[in-house]
Amino acid sequence: MVRTIEQQVAEAQAKLARLKTRAKAQDTRRKIIVGAIVTTEALKDPKIAKWLASTLRKNATREVDQKELAGLLADLDAKAKIAGAGEA
């Protein structure tokens, strides 16, 4: 069966859409892994906790994101205070 140019274009567009979806999923997975590792280390190390809390406050500007991060920020602040107490 001979495919028309329009059919070939449609197939190519569908393939491109699938590839874009796969690339986005791969990027999201990478961000989840990195985020989990950084969060875990920040909750262990007061200096990393201080940096992460500051970075999150500076970059998470949407109210919905701030609400989602409130508990983590409290934990990070508590860990960061250990660094502050150790430096005094």
Side-chain angles (χ1 to χ4, degrees):
M1 178 176 186
V2 177
R3 294 177 300 155
T4 67
I5 291 176
E6 290 81 13
Q7 289 171 325
Q8 292 176 37
V9 168
E11 289 171 10
Q13 288 174 336
K15 183 176 182 176
L16 179 60
R18 287 191 301 273
L19 289 171
K20 285 181 178 182
T21 298
R22 191 176 345 154
K24 182 169 174 49
Q26 187 177 35
D27 182 56
T28 299
R29 175 84 176 126
R30 187 179 314 118
K31 288 175 183 177
I32 291 169
I33 293 167
V34 170
I37 291 168
V38 170
T39 301
T40 298
E41 292 304 310
L43 292 171
K44 293 178 190 176
D45 184 322
K47 290 180 183 179
I48 298 173
K50 184 177 179 179
W51 170 82
L52 183 56
S54 172
T55 300
L56 290 173
R57 284 190 172 94
K58 182 171 58 174
N59 292 291
T61 56
R62 295 184 327 158
E63 186 175 336
V64 65
D65 294 339
Q66 292 171 353
K67 286 180 182 178
E68 187 66 34
L69 295 172
L72 175 61
L73 287 169
D75 292 344
L76 292 170
D77 289 342
K79 188 65 175 183
K81 285 181 183 173
I82 294 171
E87 294 170 1

